[in-house]
Amino acid sequence: MFQLGKTIVSEEIIKNDFVCNLSACKGACCIDGDAGAPVEEEEAKILEDLYPKIKPFLRKKGIEVIEKQGTSIITENGEIETPLIDGADCAYVTFDDKGIALCGIEEAYNQGEINWKKPVSCHLYPVRVQDYSEFSAVNYHRWQICDDACSLGAELQVPIYKFVKEALIRKFGEDWYLELEKVAEKVK
């Protein structure tokens, strides 16, 4: 672990490799698990505002869940998440003709309908950020369904922090990322 500003960062994001391999995993991170994607408070407002423009990109089941539960939900622990379809798929998940899970929010973004890509927690994955009162912890989240992403990352020699560069800059800023690159050079 090392400190960058008000973050404590796991060296795993420098030392481990990762590149999503959707042809292998089919986007399982958006359909497996027992919780929705973490959503920041300001993102919940963004989702609510943008929902009318995102809705045309969603599946019928997702729309039903969102219109019943809301564009985001608050868990028993007080955390904000995306709602789930039948306790599994994120309500914003769509599927391409190969059965690969895609993000309806990101598709609306890609089509130029909205100017917000998706919740930063999704954009950062497999990096997870836990905010505390004095600092934020930046960690690598290992999940068996991402084994193929680890293999592809190793084959292509892409460390996690480079794979999620855009998302890390979005979350922490360009200067923070430049400092992270300096640390990565020293670690190697």
Side-chain angles (χ1 to χ4, degrees), residues 69-89:
Q69 297 180 24
T71 53
S72 61
I73 62 164
I74 299 175
T75 68
E76 292 175 5
N77 298 334
E79 295 172 354
I80 306 170
E81 298 177 351
T82 59
L84 298 177
I85 299 170
D86 300 325
D89 301 10

Side-chain angles (χ1 to χ4, degrees), residues 25-42:
C25 73
K26 309 284 188 217
C29 61
C30 297
I31 54 177
D32 286 355
D34 56 3
V39 176
E40 295 178 359
E41 196 172 321
E42 58 274 6

Side-chain angles (χ1 to χ4, degrees), residues 5-32:
K6 291 188 175 192
T7 62
I8 304 296
V9 184
S10 169
E11 287 185 15
E12 287 185 305
I13 72 167
I14 293 171
K15 294 179 177 179
N16 293 52
D17 297 319
F18 193 98
V19 172
C20 281
N21 189 347
L22 290 175
S23 62
C25 73
K26 309 284 188 217
C29 61
C30 297
I31 54 177
D32 286 355

Side-chain angles (χ1 to χ4, degrees), residues 1-186:
M1 302 288 261
F2 57 92
Q3 185 171 354
L4 279 181
K6 291 188 175 192
T7 62
I8 304 296
V9 184
S10 169
E11 287 185 15
E12 287 185 305
I13 72 167
I14 293 171
K15 294 179 177 179
N16 293 52
D17 297 319
F18 193 98
V19 172
C20 281
N21 189 347
L22 290 175
S23 62
C25 73
K26 309 284 188 217
C29 61
C30 297
I31 54 177
D32 286 355
D34 56 3
V39 176
E40 295 178 359
E41 196 172 321
E42 58 274 6
E43 292 179 322
K45 293 176 183 129
I46 292 169
L47 274 173
E48 194 172 325
D49 291 343
L50 295 179
Y51 177 67
K53 292 183 178 183
I54 296 168
K55 183 177 176 178
F57 296 91
L58 303 178
R59 296 182 295 154
K60 183 180 177 189
K61 282 184 118 179
I63 293 168
E64 289 170 0
V65 167
I66 291 167
E67 293 187 356
K68 183 177 181 185
Q69 297 180 24
T71 53
S72 61
I73 62 164
I74 299 175
T75 68
E76 292 175 5
N77 298 334
E79 295 172 354
I80 306 170
E81 298 177 351
T82 59
L84 298 177
I85 299 170
D86 300 325
D89 301 10
C90 173
Y92 295 97
V93 164
T94 62
F95 294 92
D96 70 7
D97 57 356
K98 296 176 185 162
I100 295 174
L102 302 172
C103 177
I105 301 166
E106 190 169 13
E107 187 57 26
Y109 172 83
N110 291 340
Q111 296 296 324
E113 295 297 321
I114 61 174
N115 62 359
W116 184 70
K117 193 167 194 164
K118 57 185 165 184
V120 73
S121 68
C122 301
H123 199 188
L124 279 167
Y125 201 78
V127 171
R128 283 287 186 229
V129 177
Q130 179 65 48
D131 293 320
Y132 297 96
S133 58
E134 299 295 318
F135 67 94
S136 295
V138 182
N139 291 299
Y140 166 44
H141 180 249
R142 291 180 192 273
W143 196 1
Q144 178 187 351
I145 64 173
C146 293
D147 287 351
D148 290 312
C150 296
S151 298
L152 183 58
E155 181 183 323
L156 299 174
Q157 298 181 328
V158 177
I160 295 168
Y161 79 96
K162 286 186 179 180
F163 175 70
V164 296
K165 176 181 179 177
E166 180 185 335
L168 287 169
I169 291 170
R170 177 180 166 197
K171 178 73 176 169
F172 299 111
E174 184 87 35
D175 290 342
W176 183 94
Y177 189 82
L178 292 172
E179 290 300 314
L180 175 64
E181 287 183 317
K182 289 176 186 173
V183 172
E185 286 304 313
K186 290 178 186 173

